[in-house]
Amino acid sequence: MWHHARLGSRWRRSLRRFGTAAARRFPLDEGDWFYSSEWYDLHSSDTNTVFRSSSDKGNGIVSVLAFPSSRPNQIHWPTTEKWLQERFTKLHPGLEHDGRFRIIGYQWRTLHFNDNTFQSTVKVMAFYQESQPSSICLMQQPHCLAVPYLKSMVSTGLATLASCKFDLKSATNGKKEMRILCIGHGGGSLPLFLTSKIKGAVIDIIEVDPLVISGSIRAMGFPAFSVVNSSGERIHERLYLRESDAEEFVLNGDTVYDMIFIDAYDGDDIFPRKLWDPDFPFLKALSNLLHPRHGTVVVNLHSDSDAYISNPSFSYFSKPFVQTSKHVSKVCQAYRKALVGNGNSSSGLGFFVSVPWVCNTSLVVCRGFALNNRNCSRDLVMNTITSKSLEIDNILNLPFSCLEYVKRDFTVID
């Protein structure tokens, strides 16, 4: 879930300048914010509602809207059609089939709660087999992260994990297993991106609303074979999508995770209190599932409160103080204390960065960073994570630069 900024004319001019520059630097990034003009306008004449139903899990009306996409260009479609043919043959060896695969086109698809709240944006490919022209298939494009806060979560989280001596290169090559938990599913773009880039990643996805799961599969191209059924079976080799309450799953879980991503907002655009308030058992249970030496948690938070305060409990790299909402401050402090102890503890690190072009904050709490750098200064923290972000760009062959998200208003939680 992200909360967008108010769209004044000055903001739109800045967006065009930013988008044009970013597109020149990373021309292969189909999820660049520059393309948000294709799917951001809910009242566009090209908009088509492809899924709509009422949720009984507090999310109101859950809907998926479709918009035309300008990329990839049609000249690249034959290469993808050939890949589809090869993939089918690999998955079904010896099975005879008649007809080539043909691409119909690409679309942006956005998930909404209560019509006006953006929950997720993905790019899907529609295709069919010539022998079955009436059977249309949807495939979500795993390389495409369309919203800046997702890139921020990936960038800051992986750079921090690597700074805690986790061998991300071996995990990327499939030589080492990497256990990841995603709380909040949306359209599923984050776990799909991670599995496409990290061959050793095994990902549990927790979503409380079956309607969101249904919408992501039926209308957003998320792989149906990743869903864990009532008997505990599923087909996808590295994705486990479960319908479950986050608190219940964490309280009953026994898997130790290297990384945990939390992006869970309800139909009222609220981060549930039970997922951050120390009076609830969630944070303590989450701590038990986090790897003791390098475990890293990344949380997406809204930072658009109109009431700003100067909070002396935070230290800012480029300014003498940080201004942030009371709510964000409380959540950051709660996660920092629950997962790595008080601010004077040497057992871990907590920080957050702001996200460009949307009113979000990426909170990161990790274990092991301070253990490896007993006398580390704030500058050393930032420089270390910045340096690792350059390695992440190369190791994962990302279409976007991590630096753009890691260094933005880098704020350490004391």
Side-chain angles (χ1 to χ4, degrees):
M1 171 81 64
W2 79 95
H3 199 73
H4 55 80
R6 294 175 177 86
L7 297 179
S9 59
R10 181 179 180 182
W11 187 92
R12 288 194 293 268
R13 289 195 298 270
S14 298
L15 173 61
R16 286 195 293 272
R17 289 196 298 271
F18 170 80
T20 302
R24 286 198 298 269
R25 291 198 303 272
F26 308 110
L28 298 180
D29 185 6
E30 295 175 15
D32 195 289
W33 189 242
F34 174 70
Y35 299 109
S36 63
S37 59
E38 297 182 358
W39 51 260
Y40 204 92
D41 185 4
L42 302 183
H43 304 291
S44 169
S45 59
D46 292 328
T47 305
N48 180 35
T49 300
V50 293
F51 181 92
R52 184 177 177 86
S53 189
S54 181
S55 168
D56 60 1
K57 294 291 185 177
N59 289 327
I61 301 298
V62 177
S63 59
V64 177
L65 276 60
F67 304 81
S69 172
S70 63
R71 290 204 177 191
N73 191 285
Q74 195 164 351
I75 62 174
H76 301 297
W77 292 9
T79 301
T80 304
E81 291 171 344
K82 181 180 179 181
W83 175 85
L84 286 170
Q85 195 75 33
E86 294 172 347
R87 179 66 173 167
F88 183 90
T89 302
K90 182 178 180 180
L91 292 176
H92 307 283
L95 179 65
E96 294 185 4
H97 60 95
D98 182 26
R100 297 179 58 186
F101 289 94
R102 296 296 185 185
I103 294 175
I104 301 172
Y106 293 80
Q107 285 184 335
W108 295 106
R109 297 208 169 182
T110 59
L111 176 68
H112 302 263
F113 292 165
N114 290 322
D115 292 330
N116 57 356
T117 303
F118 279 92
Q119 170 66 21
S120 185
T121 299
V122 304
K123 179 175 285 188
V124 301
M125 174 180 67
F127 63 97
Y128 67 95
Q129 198 170 12
E130 286 183 335
S131 60
Q132 300 176 328
S134 62
S135 180
I136 307 300
C137 300
L138 293 179
M139 178 182 292
Q140 187 177 139
Q141 303 302 281
H143 59 276
C144 185
L145 291 179
V147 188
Y149 86 81
L150 289 175
K151 294 178 180 178
S152 176
M153 293 177 75
V154 169
S155 299
T156 55
L158 292 179
T160 303
L161 182 69
S163 299
C164 296
K165 308 301 182 182
F166 181 82
D167 188 358
L168 185 60
K169 184 175 183 179
S170 293
T172 301
N173 295 332
K175 298 178 180 179
K176 175 185 177 67
E177 185 178 82
M178 179 177 175
R179 295 305 302 257
I180 300 174
L181 172 63
C182 292
I183 296 178
H185 175 57
S189 57
L190 178 60
L192 271 184
F193 182 86
L194 293 172
T195 52
S196 71
K197 291 294 183 180
I198 305 173
K199 294 181 180 179
V202 178
I203 304 180
D204 290 319
I205 312 164
I206 306 305
E207 172 57 51
V208 69
D209 194 341
L211 197 59
V212 171
I213 294 176
S214 178
S216 72
I217 293 172
R218 293 170 53 190
M220 305 183 81
F222 192 81
F225 44 81
S226 64
V227 177
V228 179
N229 60 29
S230 57
S231 62
E233 299 175 340
R234 61 89 178 86
I235 301 175
H236 198 288
E237 67 275 15
R238 294 190 289 126
L239 282 175
Y240 295 76
L241 175 55
R242 294 178 169 86
E243 177 192 336
S244 175
D245 176 79
E247 185 178 38
E248 179 181 340
F249 178 85
V250 169
L251 287 172
N252 296 323
D254 55 7
T255 301
V256 175
Y257 293 100
D258 303 300
M259 287 200 76
I260 298 175
F261 292 93
I262 302 177
D263 181 20
Y265 285 80
D266 61 21
D268 294 322
D269 206 15
I270 295 174
F271 186 48
R273 193 177 189 90
K274 67 179 183 179
L275 298 187
W276 66 267
D277 194 322
D279 291 337
F280 291 86
F282 175 81
L283 282 180
K284 183 177 181 180
L286 191 74
S287 179
N288 295 332
L289 301 185
L290 193 61
H291 196 286
R293 292 193 299 274
H294 58 250
T296 300
V297 174
V298 187
V299 187
N300 172 47
L301 299 172
H302 289 347
S303 57
D304 57 324
S305 173
D306 292 329
Y308 290 95
I309 61 170
S310 176
N311 189 333
S313 65
F314 291 84
S315 298
Y316 200 69
F317 281 111
S318 58
K319 300 177 183 179
F321 60 88
V322 63
Q323 290 183 323
T324 187
S325 72
K326 292 181 179 180
H327 174 69
V328 170
S329 298
K330 287 181 180 180
V331 175
C332 291
Q333 291 287 2
Y335 270 85
R336 171 69 165 87
K337 184 175 181 179
L339 301 181
V340 298
N342 294 320
N344 58 0
S345 171
S346 61
S347 61
L349 170 72
F351 70 90
F352 61 84
V353 297
S354 62
V355 181
W357 312 117
V358 291
C359 295
N360 289 62
T361 294
S362 292
L363 164 66
V364 181
V365 178
C366 70
R367 292 172 171 170
F369 189 98
L371 290 175
N372 299 322
N373 303 276
R374 289 285 183 179
N375 299 314
C376 62
S377 65
R378 293 183 180 87
D379 286 342
L380 179 58
V381 171
M382 184 176 181
N383 291 338
T384 300
I385 294 177
T386 299
S387 176
K388 287 297 180 180
S389 71
L390 296 173
E391 295 182 22
I392 301 303
D393 290 352
N394 294 324
I395 291 174
L396 272 68
N397 190 28
L398 295 179
F400 54 86
S401 171
C402 287
L403 280 176
E404 191 169 354
Y405 303 94
V406 169
K407 295 181 67 176
R408 187 178 176 86
D409 297 337
F410 194 106
T411 306
V412 169
I413 309 170
D414 286 339

